[in-house]
Amino acid sequence: MKPARTDFPEDFLFGAATAAYQIEGSAYGGAGPCHWDSFAATPGNVVRAEDGSVACDHYHRWEGDLDLMKDAGLDAYRFSTSWARVMPEGRGAVNAEGLDYYDRLVDGMLARGLKPFQTLYHWEMPSALADLGGWTNRDVAHWFADFAEVITRRIGDRVAAVATINEPWCVAWLSHFLGHHAPGKRDIRAAARAMHHVLLAHGAAVERLRGMGQPNLGIVLNFDHCTPASDSAADVLTTATQDAIFNRWFIEGITRGTYPAEALAGLAPHMPKDWQADMPLIGQKLDWLGVNYYSRHIHAFAPDTPWPHGRDVPGPLPKTQMGWEIYPEGLYGFLTRLSRDYVGDLPIYVTENGMANADEVLNGSVNDHVREDYLFAHLDATRRAIADGANVKGFFYWSLLDNYEWAFGYEKRFGLVHVDFETLQRLPKASYHALARAIAR
Ligand code: IFM
């Protein structure tokens, strides 16, 4: 299937997404240290102990990178504004150079006809706040709302949309229970607190920004299709628990004011005292919902492990460089499920979808046709979800550039544009050209 712009509603936006720490180069422009710097500097956490200090040097090369999006005919750019760059200590002093940088960046997008879709938190917890417990400290909610206010006072007049948090599941569960991301905790009490405080911070920021008159406020949640390894009752229950933790906790907290019973079954004893009293703040009205989707996982009951008594089982489908199964049907499923069960007609954006591939430059080009197929299949899933009633308003490919893939360092390549990490030279891949052609059709 070769998608075309005309397959989508007239106001549908095509875009690409990135995040500050993954591309900017945190060594430049007076940014403060964040918990990813220390996580990466600790042996065993990140492939080759790589960090985001240089990354793609987007801090200096942003104009060329914006040109790449304009030349592809994209309508919008999803970027993030680093907390540690704007407020190096997380609170108090503001880094004027950081604010100036985001100011230039947003003007640069507008000059190229790209709608700025801002994300406030894409994982740079300033180290000074990490020292105070980061997401496990309840005060994070007002620290975050203060940061949101500072950056919004500078660029809020020109951004098209603001998301509070990128992927709360990763912020809380992946980072405090599974320990795969900074701060690398593996502790159910820390995880329960982070699961709640990340939404509290979201609610506090939405309340603050809306109070300032800022329009178009949302959040970006990630979703993973959960399949039971067998139809045994135990595998089905384990899968329902994983679905509750990953896919239901955040959206139900926001839209229903409750957390799913299957997740509370393990987390309730570790939750902050009186957490129920916070639910009205968490339930601030959304103007839009961002959906990040990549894959599915197969879950089996693991009786020999503590709650949630689960383990992942390898699946049979073709996999990306991350080892993630390619399952576009899952995107269709979430877009229709979310609109049917949770958000109704609220605008939904696919804020991330893409694949890592072991791309190589051969005779001056990267022939990543496998990425083209992945992208087109997920665009088609989006088109079908719209036809079946989901109010999906846009699709952002992850990512514009090959970049810092967190614990995997620079090894996994997600970009439409190849980056040579020695020379930092950019080279649009075949998938970039294919997307540009689709948008032009
Ligand atoms: O690179 C990440 C991004 O920062 C958040 N969503 C998933 C991507 C791929 O792992």
Side-chain angles (χ1 to χ4, degrees):
M1 172 251 173
K2 284 209 188 308
R5 189 185 272 283
T6 48
D7 297 335
F8 293 84
E10 220 172 296
D11 58 352
F12 192 85
L13 300 178
F14 290 89
T18 66
Y21 192 80
Q22 293 178 271
I23 63 165
E24 286 177 355
S26 61
Y28 309 124
C34 79
H35 66 178
W36 269 97
D37 297 319
S38 46
F39 185 72
T42 309
N45 285 339
V46 175
V47 170
R48 292 183 291 270
E50 289 167 339
D51 62 28
S53 52
V54 175
C56 305
D57 188 24
H58 178 73
Y59 185 81
H60 297 108
R61 296 165 196 252
W62 59 271
E63 290 182 278
D65 294 338
L66 296 186
D67 285 343
L68 284 165
M69 285 183 278
K70 173 176 175 265
D71 294 347
L74 296 182
D75 309 306
Y77 174 39
R78 178 172 173 244
F79 69 111
S80 76
T81 46
S82 159
W83 190 347
R85 179 177 297 290
V86 172
M87 300 174 89
E89 294 287 309
R91 300 180 287 180
V94 171
N95 172 28
E97 234 179 306
L99 285 180
D100 290 348
Y101 166 67
Y102 290 122
D103 197 72
R104 290 194 294 278
L105 190 66
V106 168
D107 280 347
M109 292 178 217
L110 296 177
R112 290 164 180 81
L114 295 163
K115 290 189 192 317
F117 272 61
Q118 179 194 5
T119 301
L120 287 165
Y121 186 76
H122 202 125
W123 307 354
E124 300 92 354
M125 173 62 68
S127 298
L129 300 183
D131 291 345
L132 301 176
W135 291 107
T136 66
N137 186 332
R138 180 181 176 82
D139 289 341
V140 72
H142 65 83
W143 300 334
F144 181 63
D146 290 347
F147 157 61
E149 177 173 343
V150 167
I151 183 69
T152 301
R153 288 211 181 281
R154 185 61 181 266
I155 63 172
D157 56 336
R158 282 156 291 151
V159 295
V162 181
T164 52
I165 311 272
N166 181 69
E167 299 183 347
W169 179 86
C170 294
V171 172
W173 195 258
L174 188 67
S175 309
H176 294 79
F177 187 81
L178 299 176
H180 296 177
H181 276 193
K185 280 197 184 293
R186 298 182 67 243
D187 182 289
I188 195 167
R189 183 176 164 89
R193 274 137 213 278
M195 292 286 276
H196 184 63
H197 293 153
V198 70
L199 284 184
L200 193 63
H202 156 79
V206 170
E207 184 185 58
R208 181 81 64 89
L209 298 189
R210 190 161 282 138
M212 291 164 57
Q214 186 67 25
N216 221 11
L217 305 172
I219 187 168
V220 170
L221 305 180
N222 53 327
F223 296 92
D224 190 82
H225 185 91
C226 297
T227 303
S230 76
D231 51 16
S232 74
D235 284 351
V236 170
L237 177 61
T238 297
T239 306
T241 304
Q242 294 296 343
D243 188 57
I245 296 168
F246 204 126
N247 299 316
R248 293 174 52 205
W249 180 275
F250 305 100
I251 192 67
E252 292 189 10
I254 293 169
T255 63
R256 296 187 181 169
T258 58
Y259 294 131
E262 293 88 335
L264 282 174
L267 291 178
H270 309 286
M271 292 290 282
K273 197 159 168 285
D274 293 334
W275 59 266
Q276 293 88 343
D278 294 329
M279 299 318 279
L281 181 58
I282 286 174
Q284 300 295 305
K285 183 177 98 44
L286 293 177
D287 298 316
W288 61 277
L289 174 68
V291 172
N292 291 359
Y293 174 81
Y294 289 89
S295 186
R296 72 162 184 175
H297 281 84
I298 300 178
H299 302 280
F301 179 53
D304 44 343
T305 65
W307 184 90
H309 312 298
R311 66 186 165 86
D312 288 358
V313 176
L317 301 176
K319 300 184 181 53
T320 71
Q321 192 191 15
M322 298 294 281
W324 297 347
E325 283 192 299
I326 300 175
Y327 187 63
E329 205 50 35
L331 178 58
Y332 170 88
F334 281 117
L335 295 175
T336 49
R337 174 180 171 190
L338 285 162
S339 57
R340 185 189 61 232
D341 295 349
Y342 297 105
V343 299
D345 274 347
L346 192 79
I348 297 176
Y349 292 87
V350 177
T351 32
E352 282 183 32
N353 172 252
M355 72 173 284
N357 188 48
D359 298 318
E360 281 177 23
V361 181
L362 288 175
N363 302 322
S365 52
V366 179
N367 293 315
D368 57 338
H369 298 299
V370 59
R371 178 174 288 108
E372 204 172 308
D373 293 347
Y374 179 102
L375 168 60
F376 287 1
H378 287 82
L379 277 174
D380 192 51
T382 305
R383 182 192 61 74
R384 286 187 288 114
I386 295 171
D388 290 345
N391 189 21
V392 189
K393 295 299 213 185
F395 182 104
F396 293 78
Y397 179 80
W398 181 271
S399 180
L400 173 67
L401 304 171
D402 292 340
N403 60 43
Y404 181 65
E405 180 52 24
W406 307 111
F408 295 94
Y410 293 93
E411 197 176 88
K412 310 291 185 197
R413 294 183 175 272
F414 275 91
L416 294 169
V417 175
H418 183 274
V419 176
D420 177 329
F421 290 109
E422 298 289 311
T423 62
L424 295 173
Q425 236 184 339
R426 276 66 164 155
L427 175 66
K429 304 177 189 176
S431 57
Y432 167 97
H433 298 294
L435 178 59
R437 284 194 299 274
I439 294 172
R441 274 197 282 273

